Amino acid sequence: MSDTTTTSTSGPLGGGSAPDMLAWTCPAPLRDQARVVMGHGGGGALSAELVEQIFVPAFGGPALSVTTDAATLELGGARLAFSTDSFVVRPLFFPGGSIGDLAVNGTVNDLAMSGARAAYLSCGFILEEGVETEVVARVADALGAAARTAGVQVVTGDTKVVEAGHGDGVYINTSGIGVIPDGVDLRPQRVVPGDVVIVSGPVGVHGVAIMSVREGLEFGVEIESDCAPLGGLVEAMLAVTPDLHVLRDPTRGGLAASLNEIAVASGTGVALQERAVPVPDPVANACAILGLDPMYVANEGKLVAFVPRERAESVLEAMRAHPLGAGATVIGEAVAEHPGMVVARTGLGGTRVVDMPLGEQLPRIC
């Protein structure tokens, strides 16, 4: 549920006036809604429907027919990756990062999933009237520092101001461009049965970090976002073999959304070992308390890779030698059975379908 409920402070459930049930809104409503709802921004089925039913037909063009994190284009004999992303996270600062870090790393990582190392970024700030200039300066400083860490230059930008009450302090859009090395072809259509599925480290950290500070929850230990630029990790993987089949950074919708997107686009099934998916104890405990599934919780510094079986061991070794891949582990494989579906074998020996999320368990996480 979103945070439009009233707060009570006494009585059997916390007290005070009863919560206004009619004011509650759900980020994942029924699909026949005639208006945009929060679930349309969650990276799940509603987001896909919005893109496929409205934007792709309106814009047209072959580049939009492939739904990857970045467009792959040819210009002047070079293969380029081009991506854009907007960031509306709340709060602006959180353990392990800020909206400025996300604005750089989110776009840099989208480019990296095409095998490109980001070279240049644009940056657009949308500021709400009344936001403190000190806050804007902190965000800008964080963005600049993140760009230097990622090895990318911010070369152009724009600033707009909206009236008070028509924004949430600071929104940011970044677009990025990078060159794809020769011989690299990363797309879900290359996935074949037998490919090994590797995740670069523990999942669910970013979403729980945002939730903890947004809702004032205490889990006994501070959980920090995993926000980080993945270009260097991808370069280490490609140095082992350029024949990786597909990479994806599981942000909105978490690992489950990314795996479902790849399964559908490739026409293969995905079989997971649920116990192999690395979930840190604080994240698992928080999700258990809140009734969430860690595989649907957002990440901002992890990737999932589908790798040819004969290359999997050497790629895994290279990932573990990199600081951002130290926790890399094999979690499953692509299979010919149940094409377009993700199935997990549970710790009890049964199986469950890991569906594409409809919306987002926690909106506004990036």
Side-chain angles (χ1 to χ4, degrees):
M1 294 291 180
S2 72
D3 56 348
T4 56
T5 58
T6 56
T7 302
S8 58
T9 56
S10 62
L13 295 178
S17 60
D20 180 6
M21 299 295 186
L22 295 179
W24 287 16
T25 61
C26 181
L30 297 176
R31 295 191 186 196
D32 59 358
Q33 290 287 324
R35 300 177 184 273
V36 172
V37 293
M38 290 300 294
H40 284 116
L46 286 175
S47 293
E49 289 178 2
L50 190 68
V51 172
E52 293 167 2
Q53 296 177 13
I54 294 181
F55 297 125
V56 170
F59 301 159
L64 287 178
S65 64
V66 181
T67 53
T68 53
D69 290 335
T72 299
L73 311 168
E74 291 192 11
L75 184 64
R79 292 176 66 229
L80 304 177
F82 179 48
S83 185
T84 189
D85 207 345
S86 298
F87 300 88
V88 296
V89 67
R90 182 174 59 84
L92 298 177
F93 304 93
F94 47 84
S98 71
I99 191 173
D101 300 280
L102 286 174
V104 171
N105 295 335
T107 296
V108 164
N109 291 347
D110 284 347
L111 296 173
M113 298 307 104
S114 293
R117 185 67 181 261
Y120 301 108
L121 294 182
S122 70
C123 179
F125 273 73
I126 300 174
L127 307 176
E128 182 184 14
E129 179 185 24
V131 65
E132 296 89 344
T133 54
E134 184 271 336
V135 170
V136 178
R138 285 180 62 196
V139 171
D141 287 343
L143 192 152
R148 289 186 289 274
T149 298
V152 64
Q153 296 183 54
V154 180
V155 294
T156 188
D158 181 53
T159 304
K160 294 292 190 295
V161 177
V162 298
E163 297 90 342
H166 290 264
D168 199 9
V170 179
Y171 297 152
I172 302 176
N173 171 274
T174 50
S175 296
I177 192 166
V179 178
I180 301 174
D182 292 339
V184 174
D185 183 16
L186 299 175
R187 49 192 173 89
Q189 290 76 15
R190 296 196 63 219
V191 172
V192 296
D195 281 357
V196 174
V197 182
I198 303 174
V199 69
S200 63
V203 301
V205 180
H206 175 74
V208 171
I210 295 293
M211 186 184 309
S212 66
V213 293
R214 182 184 298 176
E215 307 300 340
L217 302 176
E218 295 288 344
F219 300 120
V221 60
E222 183 176 72
I223 301 174
E224 292 192 355
S225 169
D226 58 350
C227 183
L230 296 172
L233 175 60
V234 172
E235 286 186 350
M237 297 166 68
L238 291 173
V240 173
T241 175
D243 190 32
L244 305 178
H245 284 170
V246 68
L247 302 176
R248 192 64 60 90
D249 59 330
T251 54
R252 295 177 303 167
L255 184 63
S258 292
L259 293 175
N260 273 278
E261 290 168 356
I262 293 169
V264 170
S266 66
T268 65
V270 177
L272 302 178
Q273 294 294 329
E274 190 169 59
R275 283 187 171 178
V277 178
V279 180
D281 287 341
V283 171
N285 294 338
C287 287
I289 292 170
L290 300 169
L292 303 178
D293 186 333
M295 284 205 283
Y296 292 88
V297 178
N299 312 271
E300 287 293 346
K302 300 296 186 299
L303 63 81
V304 60
F306 283 63
V307 181
R309 182 169 296 278
E310 63 273 15
R311 296 288 190 176
E313 192 61 39
S314 57
V315 170
L316 185 63
E317 184 179 345
M319 294 175 72
R320 289 174 172 170
H322 190 281
L324 295 179
T329 187
V330 173
I331 61 171
E333 63 180 334
V335 296
E337 296 78 21
H338 51 79
M341 293 177 60
V342 181
V343 173
R345 179 166 293 279
T346 69
L348 298 177
T351 59
R352 69 180 180 101
V353 175
V354 182
D355 287 325
M356 171 69 89
L358 185 61
E360 171 61 60
Q361 296 182 115
L362 182 70
R364 302 278 301 276
I365 50 80
C366 64

